[in-house]
């Protein structure tokens, strides 16, 4: 059978300052850049969903027809131009190829300039073209804000179960299994779903600790017998539209059993509502605590600069944590990745080993001025690297022209592309050996844990100014569903 394959991924923070245009999808922003046609087959072996799907289908009898795969760094809304051009290519291919089945590698939290539900609209348009009998299966991010339109137009959707997302390829494999059930056995499953009545902060969703760890373990015990697939997405709590938030859903051959499993898992989540909140530190307090812990440690203390996470809509350019490191005279400390193409260019023009005086970073939208200082240029590179950690092992990404700038005992990895600090190679490409540092400040919320937990003495979460507000109660919500609690055990949104 002929299987159409496409990918269109974006995690939208509607409170962020920068939108995702066509160029952002061409570049990729920490994910592979826009890829067309048979070149998508080269994603086999890479830890992204389409890679796992291709691995699972490689030796099968079906004809795989890749169309386009595109992802952009999380940000504000996808521009109408980018959405319509990418969606148009996928829908046109579905119309012309008349596939027997469709696999989509999608995120589940996309908002465009002109519509709230990017994936729901993409699925609706594909369904309109291929008709009701052609199975459509999609893989989703753990942070998907799953909508009724998405569930109604897909035959099956399956989500990651880890954060950091070390099971992306495995999720693509599960999607391949479900699609095979439809194509080869003609199965059609009953769907049941239930929404979670409160928003879960991003930094509290890490599956390496409870409550998320226990929830996914419980999910595994429920997914058996006539329950073919069970998923839970805590949601992305920075998209201001009515269906923002967590969802539990499942598929199976026995409607009553599916309904019971969904209800059981949703109750498990809801009963632990208070546990979804994790305390965070102000910048100075985080650095001082890290310095205290690192005195007798033989491994680095890692601080998550969670509110400037470019993997959640931040521009990776705020200076609150840098100021805290310098003010507190931290030694053997490194911060990365700070997005400042102009500073990186100036460093390359000046040359390694020399000093440079400049204003580094800064985000006007958050009253965050550039950090003015004189830096030693310790290392320069073109920023090209291959990911070695478990998040995206094997993927080739680029920071663009990159510099390591040192001021006092603090090193700053400055890049020309926005990339979340999710892998140790992002330090090494700038000449910094992360294991040799006493303190590492990572512009990331949770993904860094996959590659940094094994070398960390301990991990702190810091609340420095930035677009990805750690506590959802501090966001200016306008369009949430009335009644949903804005944080665990917090006030209900009144509309």
């Amino acid at each position: 059978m002929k299987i159409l394959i496409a990918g269109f991924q974006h995690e939208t923070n509607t409170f962020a300052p920068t939108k995702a245009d066509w160029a952002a999808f061409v570049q990729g922003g920490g994910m592979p850049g826009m890829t067309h046609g048979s070149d998508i087959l080269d994603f086999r072996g890479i830890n992204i969903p389409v890679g796992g799907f291709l691995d699972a289908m490689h030796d099968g009898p079906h004809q795989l027809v890749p169309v386009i795969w595109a992802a952009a760094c999380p940000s504000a809304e996808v521009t109408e131009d980018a959405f319509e051009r990418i969606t148009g290519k996928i829908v046109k291919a579905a119309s012309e190829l008349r596939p027997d089945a469709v696999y989509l590698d999608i995120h589940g939290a996309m908002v465009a300039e002109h519509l709230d539900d990017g994936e729901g609209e993409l699925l609706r348009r594909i369904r309109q073209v291929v008709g009701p009998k052609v199975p459509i299966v999609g893989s989703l991010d753990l942070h998907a804000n799953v909508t009724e339109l998405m569930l109604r137009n897909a035959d099956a959707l399956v989500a990651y179960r880890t954060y950091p997302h070390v099971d992306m390829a495995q999720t693509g494999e599960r999607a391949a299994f479900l699609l095979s059930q439809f194509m080869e056995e003609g199965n059609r499953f009953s769907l049941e779903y239930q929404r979670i009545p409160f928003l879960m902060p991003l930094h509290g969703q890490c599956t390496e600790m409870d409550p998320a760890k226990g929830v996914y373990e419980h999910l595994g015990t429920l997914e058996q017998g006539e329950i073919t697939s069970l998923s839970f997405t805590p949601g992305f709590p920075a998209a201001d539209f009515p269906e923002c938030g967590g969802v539990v859903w499942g598929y199976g051959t026995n409607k009553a059993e599916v309904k019971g499993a969904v209800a059981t898992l949703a109750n498990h989540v809801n009963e632990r509502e208070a546990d979804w909140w994790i305390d965070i530190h102000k910048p100075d307090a985080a650095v001082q605590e890290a310095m205290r812990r690192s005195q007798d440690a033989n491994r680095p203390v890692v601080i998550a600069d969670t509110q400037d996470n470019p993997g959640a809509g931040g521009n990776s350019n705020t200076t609150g944590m840098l100021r805290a490191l310098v003010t507190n005279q931290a030694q053997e400390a490194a911060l990365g990745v700070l997005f400042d193409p102009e500073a990186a260019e100036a460093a390359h023009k000046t040359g390694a080993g020399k000093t440079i005086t400049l204003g580094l970073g800064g985000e006007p939208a958050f009253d965050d001025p550039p950090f003015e200082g004189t830096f030693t240029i310790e290392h320069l590179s073109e920023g090209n690297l291959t990911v070695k950690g478990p998040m995206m092992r094997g993927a080739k990404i680029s920071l663009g022209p990159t510099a390591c700038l040192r001021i006092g005992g603090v090193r700053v990895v400055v890049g020309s592309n926005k990339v979340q600090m999710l892998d140790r190679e992002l330090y090494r490409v700038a000449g910094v050996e992360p294991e040799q540092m006493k303190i590492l400040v990572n512009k990331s919320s949770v993904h860094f844990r996959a590659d940094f937990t094994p070398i960390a003495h301990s991990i702190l979460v810091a609340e420095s100014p930035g677009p990805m507000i750690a506590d959802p109660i501090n966001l200016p919500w306008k369009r949430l569903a009335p009644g949903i609690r804005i944080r665990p055990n917090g006030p209900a949104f009144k509309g």
Side-chain angles (χ1 to χ4, degrees), residues 158-483:
V158 60
Y160 311 161
R161 298 177 181 180
T162 61
Y163 182 34
H165 304 327
V166 296
D167 68 332
M168 290 188 286
Q170 186 179 352
T171 304
E173 293 172 4
R174 294 205 305 273
F177 167 76
L178 288 169
L179 194 56
S180 297
Q181 294 279 298
F182 293 123
M183 292 191 302
E184 295 164 14
E185 301 180 23
N187 289 344
R188 282 296 188 268
F189 299 126
S190 295
L191 161 70
E192 294 290 337
Y193 70 96
Q194 187 171 324
R195 304 200 71 84
I196 302 302
F198 59 93
L199 297 181
M200 287 160 269
L202 202 65
H203 67 282
Q205 297 180 13
C206 177
T207 58
E208 294 181 358
M209 60 188 74
D210 286 326
K213 183 175 185 288
V215 168
Y216 286 100
E217 288 173 352
H218 192 50
L219 183 154
T221 67
L222 294 170
E223 192 182 60
Q224 58 181 312
E226 295 184 276
I227 311 299
T228 307
S229 175
L230 195 60
S231 290
F232 163 55
T233 54
F236 184 63
D240 194 11
F241 81 114
E243 291 182 272
C244 178
V247 179
V248 175
W249 74 96
Y251 305 95
T253 53
N254 184 311
K255 186 176 181 66
E257 285 200 16
V258 176
K259 187 173 184 178
V262 167
T264 298
L265 188 60
N267 289 339
H268 188 92
V269 174
N270 294 335
E271 287 168 358
R272 291 155 180 79
E273 181 169 351
D275 298 336
W276 290 94
W277 177 256
I278 294 175
D279 289 335
I280 48 185
H281 302 265
K282 296 299 182 184
D284 283 330
V287 170
Q288 291 162 11
E289 176 63 16
M291 292 172 66
R292 185 189 67 78
R293 295 186 185 188
S294 67
Q295 286 179 352
D296 300 317
N298 57 8
R299 292 185 293 171
V301 178
V302 182
I303 304 174
D305 189 0
T306 187
Q307 294 196 153
D308 194 32
N309 173 14
N315 276 337
S316 202
N317 61 354
T318 64
T319 62
M321 289 307 303
L322 175 57
R323 293 178 195 281
L325 289 168
V326 174
T327 299
N328 289 282
Q329 300 181 8
Q331 300 298 311
E332 297 178 70
L335 180 150
V337 176
L338 193 140
F339 171 62
D340 191 332
E342 291 78 14
E345 181 182 11
H348 275 253
K349 288 181 178 178
T350 303
K354 298 181 179 179
T355 60
I356 187 170
T357 300
L358 46 70
L360 191 59
E363 178 52 73
F366 291 87
D367 194 26
D368 180 73
F371 181 90
E372 304 286 346
T374 298
F375 300 83
T376 299
I377 304 170
E378 286 204 335
H379 188 90
L380 299 171
S381 77
E382 292 305 310
N384 299 315
L385 61 108
T386 299
V387 175
K388 294 182 179 179
M391 257 290 292
M392 289 172 53
R393 181 175 286 118
K396 297 183 184 300
I397 60 177
S398 177
L399 288 176
T402 299
C404 176
L405 304 182
R406 179 176 59 79
I407 181 167
V410 180
R411 293 171 172 83
V412 186
V413 176
V414 182
S416 300
N417 294 324
K418 280 186 285 187
V419 177
Q420 180 178 177
M421 179 52 79
L422 52 74
D423 193 272
R424 283 179 256 167
E425 291 301 304
L426 291 163
Y427 278 115
R428 295 192 182 110
V429 78
V432 176
E433 290 298 330
E435 295 87 347
Q436 296 177 12
M437 297 294 103
K438 285 188 171 294
I439 299 173
L440 295 170
V441 176
N442 293 348
K443 286 188 176 290
S444 174
S445 294
V446 172
H447 281 328
F448 72 92
R449 291 177 183 264
D451 200 35
F452 286 85
T453 294
I455 69 163
H457 168 273
S458 53
I459 294 172
L460 303 168
V461 180
E463 185 182 21
S464 179
M468 185 55 221
I469 304 301
D471 187 346
I473 203 169
N474 292 326
L475 287 167
W477 299 101
K478 295 180 180 178
R479 302 182 58 230
L480 288 177

Side-chain angles (χ1 to χ4, degrees), residues 5 32 35 37-60 62 64-66 69 103 105 168-170 172-173 176 386-387 392-396:
I5 297 171
T35 307
S38 60
D39 288 347
I40 295 169
L41 299 176
D42 293 337
F43 289 157
R44 286 189 60 218
I46 297 177
N47 184 34
I48 55 177
V50 69
F53 182 89
L54 291 170
D55 285 339
M57 289 291 191
H58 177 65
D59 294 325
H62 305 299
L64 306 181
V65 188
W69 191 95
Y103 165 66
D105 180 0
M168 290 188 286
Q170 186 179 352
E173 293 172 4
T386 299
V387 175
M392 289 172 53
R393 181 175 286 118
K396 297 183 184 300

